[in-house]
Amino acid sequence: MLPFWSWALSKINGDKQLLLTFIDITERRAAEERLMARESQLTALIESTADPIYSLDSNYNIMIYNTAYKTIAKATFGVDVETGLNVLDLLPQSMQDITASWKRSYDRVLNGEQFSFIYSPEFLHEQTYTEIMFNPIRNDEGKITGIVVFNRDITRVKQAEHQIRKNEAEVRAVQESTKDQIYSLDSTYRLLTYNSAYAESARKIFGVELQPGMNVMNFVPIALVGKPEALQ
């Protein structure tokens, strides 16, 4: 690497004498280039996701953010996010209770906690779900110097879970609508589902209180169910 020099020109006794001072800044220039390379890599990393990401210093000032966060901050708060903006100033005075709640979360991180919670506001008449993850930023000495916050949209996941629960409830309702004994097993003969009629029958005949996951071969005599292969 070629050396880099910084020089200063000084006057001595008016204009009659000159003093030039040269300082080798090669190491400093190399450190600056390494820092710029890391910042470039970090920017590429956080811009590779559609999830909003931002970081704060210990005074709640925004340090780094991606386009997704800038977009959602503009849409939600009407604010053009910039580096150095204090995140506690995003909301108006009328919403200071919400600001206080977020500050408590930030303070938990600054005290060393790592945690997440699910935020579920209604947006455009639709229930949305966002998992917000808080992590501390530590320097080389382990001191906490800031906060990084990840926001992940899990609305589709929650909607799928809701649909599964709904389907399970509907299946359960059908099973319970009959006096016939209904149950299902996995490939190892363990109970997956069963209705009240089957549970009552097992209690009376075998003296067993059914639980999901029980192996029916442990309480149903082979003479009654035939060979195990017949249950497949």
Side-chain angles (χ1 to χ4, degrees):
M1 175 183 293
L2 295 176
F4 291 89
W5 298 88
S6 174
W7 61 275
L9 180 62
S10 303
K11 292 182 179 181
I12 300 178
N13 297 328
D15 296 326
K16 294 181 179 181
Q17 298 182 24
L18 296 177
L19 175 65
L20 295 175
T21 302
F22 290 87
I23 302 174
D24 187 350
I25 61 170
T26 304
E27 292 186 5
R28 189 179 74 185
R29 182 60 179 268
E32 290 174 350
E33 290 179 350
R34 289 194 297 270
L35 178 59
M36 287 187 292
R38 286 198 295 268
E39 289 179 347
S40 178
Q41 292 170 354
L42 178 58
T43 298
L45 178 63
I46 66 175
E47 288 295 347
S48 66
T49 177
D51 296 327
I53 301 174
Y54 65 98
S55 65
L56 309 175
D57 63 20
S58 57
N59 294 315
Y60 319 108
N61 297 313
I62 295 174
M63 295 192 299
I64 298 174
Y65 55 89
N66 63 356
T67 301
Y69 178 70
K70 183 178 180 68
T71 300
I72 197 171
K74 180 67 173 180
T76 306
F77 310 121
V79 175
D80 291 315
V81 171
E82 295 180 357
T83 300
L85 179 67
N86 194 299
V87 73
L88 301 181
D89 294 333
L90 292 180
L91 296 180
Q93 288 294 323
S94 59
M95 302 177 68
Q96 286 306 295
D97 55 334
I98 298 178
T99 298
S101 176
W102 279 92
K103 184 179 182 298
R104 286 193 293 271
S105 295
Y106 296 141
D107 288 342
R108 287 175 60 186
V109 184
L110 292 174
N111 286 324
E113 290 190 54
Q114 180 179 349
F115 63 95
S116 66
F117 64 80
I118 295 176
Y119 180 56
S120 56
E122 187 174 299
F123 184 70
L124 296 178
H125 306 292
E126 180 182 3
Q127 194 71 37
T128 62
Y129 298 88
T130 301
E131 183 180 16
I132 304 177
M133 294 162 279
F134 297 82
N135 296 277
I137 299 173
R138 300 177 185 271
N139 61 18
D140 294 339
E141 288 73 37
K143 180 182 178 181
I144 296 175
T145 59
I147 306 162
V148 61
V149 184
F150 300 85
N151 297 263
R152 186 164 65 96
D153 185 356
I154 58 172
T155 300
R156 290 187 178 181
V157 174
K158 287 296 183 180
Q159 289 173 340
E161 291 176 352
H162 175 74
Q163 188 62 45
I164 290 173
R165 288 194 296 270
K166 180 180 178 181
N167 293 343
E168 289 176 344
E170 291 174 350
V171 170
R172 185 71 179 173
V174 171
Q175 289 179 333
E176 295 298 338
S177 67
T178 177
K179 294 182 179 179
D180 296 332
Q181 298 176 32
I182 301 175
Y183 64 96
S184 63
L185 308 176
D186 65 15
S187 60
T188 61
Y189 318 117
R190 297 184 183 279
L191 281 170
L192 294 175
T193 62
Y194 52 87
N195 65 355
S196 297
Y198 182 67
E200 181 64 22
S201 176
R203 186 182 302 109
K204 288 181 178 179
I205 298 174
F206 308 115
V208 175
E209 293 292 337
L210 295 184
Q211 296 291 335
M214 292 180 66
N215 193 314
V216 297
M217 304 308 298
N218 293 335
F219 62 84
V220 179
I222 296 295
L224 293 181
V225 300
K227 296 181 179 180
E229 288 77 12
L231 295 176
Q232 293 182 329

